Amino acid sequence: MGRAGQLQLFSSSLVDAHNRFRQQHGAAPLICSSSLSRKAQQWAEALVGMRALKSSGMDYGENLWYRQATTGQKVAEAWYSENTKYNFSTPGFQSGSGNFTQMVWKSSLQMGIGLAQDGDGLFIVVAFFDPAGNITNQGYFEKNVQAPATRGLSIKLP
């Protein structure tokens, strides 16, 4: 499989995983945007060239990943695992949970994915989200980051 095929497979896996997690939090599925993906790809390649991990400064929500080879599912699981650092009873920006909150941010509708690799097996993944999430204006977290839906009802019997 060529580079384009690998990127397509990785992107599909990452978007699908995002959408499964988003569904648990009452957020609509993200659409993978080809124009946003081109921008994310350019930024991923720039980061590999710099051998650095930093925000692009663009007006998109942004999640980054820096590791050895992996799958889209594993990247999504790592970002989602930050949910343990988010307290739903006190909504707002909370340190260590930004990748998670961007993933499930209800107002974000599109996602673009970039994946770049250096010669040593280092992968950098860039995910851009539009509209951006993690906006700290009053009430934005309450509207956009919902607790996961409960699975089934439990009834106590006497």
Side-chain angles (χ1 to χ4, degrees):
M1 178 182 300
R3 184 178 180 283
Q6 289 174 331
L7 179 57
Q8 180 60 39
L9 184 63
F10 181 88
S11 295
S12 293
S13 171
L14 186 57
V15 171
D16 290 348
H18 270 69
N19 287 336
R20 284 191 300 275
F21 288 128
R22 287 173 63 83
Q23 183 179 21
Q24 295 175 31
H25 294 269
L30 293 166
I31 296 168
C32 190
S33 160
S34 58
S35 64
L36 210 51
S37 290
R38 279 191 297 277
K39 292 174 185 176
Q41 183 63 36
Q42 289 170 345
W43 187 239
E45 290 170 5
L47 291 174
V48 164
M50 290 185 266
R51 297 193 64 81
L53 196 63
K54 64 181 191 172
S55 175
S56 67
M58 293 186 198
D59 289 333
Y60 303 115
E62 188 171 329
N63 285 3
L64 303 172
W65 172 267
Y66 166 84
R67 296 280 192 281
Q68 297 299 317
T70 190
T71 66
Q73 175 70 34
K74 289 184 189 275
V75 171
E77 289 170 358
W79 287 339
Y80 188 79
S81 72
E82 292 179 4
N83 71 351
T84 60
K85 299 174 185 172
Y86 190 78
N87 185 345
F88 291 95
S89 62
T90 57
F93 179 79
Q94 297 169 22
S95 181
S97 67
N99 290 314
F100 159 71
T101 55
Q102 176 57 79
M103 283 182 80
V104 300
W105 195 267
K106 286 177 95 170
S107 296
S108 292
L109 304 173
Q110 297 182 79
M111 180 180 190
I113 300 161
L115 171 65
Q117 180 180 6
D118 72 1
D120 298 325
L122 167 69
F123 276 76
I124 291 185
V125 177
V126 173
F128 285 157
F129 300 84
D130 190 36
N134 291 335
I135 299 170
T136 58
N137 293 359
Q138 184 68 33
Y140 277 47
F141 273 85
E142 291 89 343
K143 292 176 189 170
N144 286 287
V145 181
Q146 305 296 308
T150 55
R151 302 202 180 238
L153 299 173
S154 70
I155 300 172
K156 286 189 175 185
L157 299 174

